[in-house]
Amino acid sequence: SQIDELIALASQELTNRLGKNPEIFRAPGGISNAHTRTCLYQLGYRIDASLAEFPQVHRDQSGLVLVPYQWSGVDATHWLWSQKTHDAVFKAWADTLDHAAANNEHIVFIWHPHVMGIDPQRLAVGRKILALVLDDPRFEVSTLTKLGEQPLP
């Protein structure tokens, strides 16, 4: 299909430029589907960090590990679309972290350079969130690669 061809071409371009095959994917706009994930798995990807039908980290029928994010962890959700204050974003992220800890869930933050990186106050909020996570024993910071290597259902 055209989607398969586009994914294969983009993957080849990344391989050419990086000198190694890409292994992690996040769909533009965040939405992937079973067909896309099967194509990705066949191309050697191991992880899809897009939105998913289930919020837990899991392996889907294609064999790909899904590490879904939530819109609450995306910087643009708060600063571009909702126009929240810096204090309100910090509170929203701290509340999201508390919820994740109370329910033994993961949280993925997506912080774009063109959203957070252009504003020192936004970067300061990010530093405060990172400090909160690193100082709280309820949390473990992990890479997507490390999550993908853990035994999963």
Side-chain angles (χ1 to χ4, degrees):
S1 78
Q2 184 180 14
I3 291 174
D4 295 351
E5 291 175 30
L6 288 172
I7 293 171
L9 284 171
S11 296
Q12 187 58 54
E13 185 63 26
L14 286 168
T15 299
N16 293 344
R17 291 184 181 268
L18 298 173
K20 65 180 221 165
N21 294 335
E23 297 181 347
I24 301 171
F25 177 83
R26 185 179 72 83
I31 300 170
S32 67
N33 59 36
H35 177 84
T36 302
R37 292 190 291 265
T38 297
C39 177
L40 291 168
Y41 186 75
Q42 290 170 347
L43 288 169
Y45 285 81
R46 297 182 315 115
I47 298 168
D48 181 1
S50 305
L51 292 170
E53 297 83 12
F54 305 103
Q56 301 86 6
V57 176
H58 65 285
R59 190 175 308 278
D60 81 344
Q61 65 267 19
S62 73
L64 211 59
V65 174
L66 305 186
V67 183
Y69 71 90
Q70 305 78 21
W71 285 112
S72 60
V74 180
D75 56 2
T77 301
H78 302 285
W79 279 312
L80 298 184
W81 304 327
S82 299
Q83 304 284 311
K84 291 183 182 174
T85 67
H86 299 99
D87 289 340
V89 174
F90 177 80
K91 180 175 179 351
W93 281 341
D95 290 348
T96 297
L97 286 166
D98 282 338
H99 175 83
N103 294 286
N104 197 29
E105 297 172 349
H106 76 284
I107 181 73
V108 174
F109 286 104
I110 299 175
W111 295 345
H112 300 90
H114 63 280
V115 176
M116 284 186 64
I118 62 169
D119 182 333
Q121 289 179 298
R122 292 176 184 173
L123 287 171
V125 170
R127 281 192 293 278
K128 282 175 50 179
I129 287 295
L130 288 174
L132 189 142
V133 167
L134 293 172
D135 291 342
D136 190 323
R138 300 176 300 166
F139 300 113
E140 176 185 346
V141 176
S142 181
T143 64
L144 291 173
T145 301
K146 187 176 173 184
L147 280 174
E149 294 168 349
Q150 294 178 356
L152 299 170

